[in-house]
Amino acid sequence: MTTETNAASNMNVTRLNENLARVEELSQRLIHAMTQKKMTNPSLSGPSQDLYANALTAYWQEWFQNPAKVMEHQLEYWSKSVRHYLEAQQALASGRLRAPDDPGPADRRFSNPLWDSHPYFNFIKQQYLINSEAIEQAVSDIDDMDPTEKRRLKYFARQIVDMMAPTNFLSTNPDALEKAIETEGESLVQGMENLIRDLEANDGELVVRLADEEAFKIGENIATAEGEVIFRNRMMEVIQYAPTTDKVKQTPVVLFPPWINKFYILDLKEKNSFIRWLVGQGYTLFVVSWVNPDETYADVGLDTYIEEGFLTAIDLVKSITGEERINAIGYCIAGTTLALTLSLMKKRGDNSIKSATFFTTLTDFRDQGEFTPFLQNDFIDGIEEEVNRTGLLRSFIMARTFSFLRSNDLIYGPAIKSYMMGETPPAFDLLYWNGDGANLPARMAVQYLRRLCQDNAFCEDGVEFLGETLHISDVDLPLCAVSCETDHIAAWRDCYRGMSKTGSRQRTFILSESGHIAGIVNPPSKKKYGHYVNDDLTGTADEWFDGATYHEGSWWPVWESWISKRAGKWVEARTPGDSQHPPLCPAPGTYVKVKARQAEQ
């Protein structure tokens, strides 16, 4: 070894040690950041211990009733583990640093070649997969257990298995270790700083930042469609978008986005903006931008959203345009509430809505789908206690719940890149929007979870709001529902089932490829995801799908053809506002810019 090589090696080690010392120094700041965590009801972080107690009881009953079956699985696990150990020993004894020939099943978490070629990493990976299989098998074999509880047990067992993956720990993650050596420890310093920054930004709560928040400015490089806020009350701002055609359809459109997230998912950038596209087709478009509530909104309920939001916006649009009837769109929870509003309007003899469109909307919650683990009493009781104490359901609680449905993609994967490898989150507008959530008022959150999700009252005996008993069968005007094939939030079969329970005789159902967001934000120019259509809605969801025709490309033009038949003649384009409702400020307004933490303070 030359003198120059020795010097370079010593310099690298010195630099590495310096960075490791910096990590040690940062640990004090880390501890301080963690101490800032606000008190949260512990039941929001995991299921009741009764779930595991019931599982253990059922497992022991299985042991006594069918010991041969349990022993068979135990012996299989032991056999695989011992065989795996012997294979690793034999590979090492061969005198070559190599792993056994069988690399194991494909898993993108283990994409680094060292997982297959290096005996240390291969042994860890293989044993992890053997352990995972054994846990899943044990859960699957429990027979004497309530089906809902078993479904929950399976979910939480999967969460434990995913959490314990060797990729989630520095000492057993070859990507992170290689990066640390390549950067002489700088990646560990940057990772620690990323971790501390995320903790400090969320009052000690660990919310993994998914996107570079400095890369986006609402109203500057996202949410830039031209329009004016022409109304504001404590619940919402209403934006009327500026026309881009000389003539517009006579019947205006009002769009109600969900208030769990913000409306600009439909106006991220020019090329995928549903708002720009719809205005460009010649429609007068109004969009509601909901307030990001603080604790003073504790007593706001779904009835408040209906009365001070939906009904007020509908009257406003009618007043500004001079039209007696308008078309409405509801997205996700706003679609659910639009259905409630339509039922109320039916009871009151109000026919202001000519047609309604639902994007990924659940109205029938009989099957709670992937949210089953979180919609049982132990969690809902915890949420009710939390919101009664704080006045609101904080955004991070909802974000965490949604993220754990896709934990490897939305928690562990991003955490590894940010905290272990020191990478800066990507400048990705969709992920920026995903992290820009909103709080929910206490009373509204409990009403939604108890009466709609748990009791399924809207589709069963009816739910009481504003002096009326509302039922899905009251909704009898022309309807179009757009659902998404791989949506894990609003499963398309459940959306279809709710649609089939309406009283409408004019129903259209469109199934887009992809998920809850990408399936909706799917402009024709992308030519990415196709869609399915079938005019026969008399059968079950699966029967509908079996008879559906697949078409390439976006569903947007298909829907526009549907709504254009209900949009009236062409009239002169309308500028935003009128003498009674002058523009208050340019789109996207002020409410959309309020962050969840700002609202909480």
Side-chain angles (χ1 to χ4, degrees), residues 217-232 237-243 263-264 267 273 275-276 279 285-289 576-577 582-593:
K217 299 293 182 184
I218 297 174
E220 295 182 18
N221 58 357
I222 51 175
T224 59
E226 293 187 12
E228 300 286 344
V229 173
I230 45 81
F231 178 83
R232 181 186 295 124
E237 291 181 331
V238 179
I239 302 167
Q240 182 179 357
Y241 283 91
F263 82 88
Y264 65 86
D267 187 34
S273 170
I275 287 173
R276 288 177 181 268
V279 170
L285 177 64
F286 297 80
V287 175
V288 167
S289 174
L584 302 177
C585 67
T590 60
Y591 282 4
V592 73
K593 296 179 181 179

Side-chain angles (χ1 to χ4, degrees), residues 153-460:
L153 180 66
K154 184 177 180 180
Y155 168 81
F156 289 113
R158 183 72 250 174
Q159 291 300 318
I160 293 171
V161 166
D162 288 343
M163 181 177 65
M164 297 308 296
T167 46
N168 295 337
F169 302 91
L170 177 63
S171 62
T172 52
N173 186 318
D175 292 301
L177 290 171
E178 287 179 330
K179 185 74 174 289
I181 298 301
E182 290 170 5
T183 62
E184 300 172 348
E186 185 65 33
S187 61
L188 300 180
V189 174
Q190 186 58 52
M192 181 70 84
E193 291 179 342
N194 289 345
L195 173 59
I196 294 170
R197 183 196 57 242
D198 287 354
L199 287 168
E200 290 176 341
N202 295 283
D203 296 323
E205 295 288 348
L206 183 54
V207 180
V208 183
R209 193 165 58 118
L210 300 178
D212 182 1
E213 297 179 0
E214 301 302 318
F216 301 102
K217 299 293 182 184
I218 297 174
E220 295 182 18
N221 58 357
I222 51 175
T224 59
E226 293 187 12
E228 300 286 344
V229 173
I230 45 81
F231 178 83
R232 181 186 295 124
N233 65 12
R234 67 168 182 153
M235 295 300 299
M236 64 181 177
E237 291 181 331
V238 179
I239 302 167
Q240 182 179 357
Y241 283 91
T244 58
T245 56
D246 294 333
K247 300 279 188 178
V248 296
K249 297 283 189 174
Q250 180 179 0
T251 306
V253 176
V254 58
L255 192 157
F256 297 98
W259 51 87
I260 293 175
N261 290 99
K262 297 179 180 178
F263 82 88
Y264 65 86
I265 186 61
L266 298 172
D267 187 34
L268 281 179
K269 47 194 171 188
E270 186 172 354
K271 66 181 182 180
N272 67 356
S273 170
F274 179 80
I275 287 173
R276 288 177 181 268
W277 179 84
L278 188 56
V279 170
Q281 305 308 303
Y283 291 85
T284 302
L285 177 64
F286 297 80
V287 175
V288 167
S289 174
W290 300 104
V291 70
N292 201 338
D294 58 24
E295 66 278 0
T296 65
Y297 284 74
D299 199 43
V300 164
L302 282 168
D303 48 345
T304 318
Y305 277 88
I306 293 172
E307 193 165 38
E308 297 183 34
F310 287 76
L311 294 176
T312 298
I314 290 167
D315 287 342
L316 173 73
V317 173
K318 289 170 58 180
S319 174
I320 289 177
T321 62
E323 299 296 327
E324 290 300 315
R325 307 191 73 198
I326 65 179
N327 293 313
I329 303 172
Y331 193 167
C332 193
I333 190 175
T336 307
T337 312
L338 175 59
L340 292 169
T341 304
L342 294 173
S343 174
L344 177 68
M345 295 173 74
K346 171 71 173 180
K347 293 292 180 69
R348 292 179 173 179
D350 185 344
N351 67 346
S352 298
I353 301 298
K354 184 184 290 188
S355 77
T357 299
F358 301 111
F359 293 167
T360 63
T361 293
L362 290 171
T363 50
D364 184 348
F365 294 86
R366 184 180 67 198
D367 185 346
Q368 298 167 346
E370 292 196 43
F371 284 95
T372 298
F374 303 103
L375 290 177
Q376 308 313 307
N377 280 330
D378 52 357
F379 268 100
I380 305 303
D381 289 347
I383 287 175
E384 191 162 7
E385 291 176 17
E386 176 74 7
V387 300
N388 287 339
R389 182 178 66 85
T390 63
L392 49 82
L393 182 57
R394 286 181 284 162
S395 174
F396 94 88
I397 296 175
M398 293 179 290
R400 183 177 62 183
T401 301
F402 286 121
S403 294
F404 270 110
L405 295 176
R406 294 292 182 270
S407 57
N408 285 325
D409 294 332
L410 296 178
I411 298 177
Y412 301 126
I416 289 167
K417 291 180 179 179
S418 183
Y419 307 149
M420 286 192 202
M421 304 186 72
E423 297 179 6
T424 300
F428 189 5
D429 53 5
L430 177 60
L431 292 179
Y432 173 82
W433 168 85
N434 187 70
D436 187 17
N439 305 312
L440 298 184
R443 189 164 70 92
M444 173 262 137
V446 173
Q447 285 176 330
Y448 178 76
L449 294 171
R450 293 290 194 198
R451 298 296 290 133
L452 298 184
C453 296
Q454 283 194 315
D455 298 343
N456 197 26
F458 189 42
C459 284
E460 299 294 340

Side-chain angles (χ1 to χ4, degrees), residues 67-83:
K69 177 182 175 182
V70 176
M71 280 302 300
E72 179 185 355
H73 291 148
Q74 285 293 314
L75 290 172
E76 181 182 6
Y77 169 65
W78 296 342
S79 175
K80 286 182 178 180
S81 296
V82 172
R83 190 182 306 117

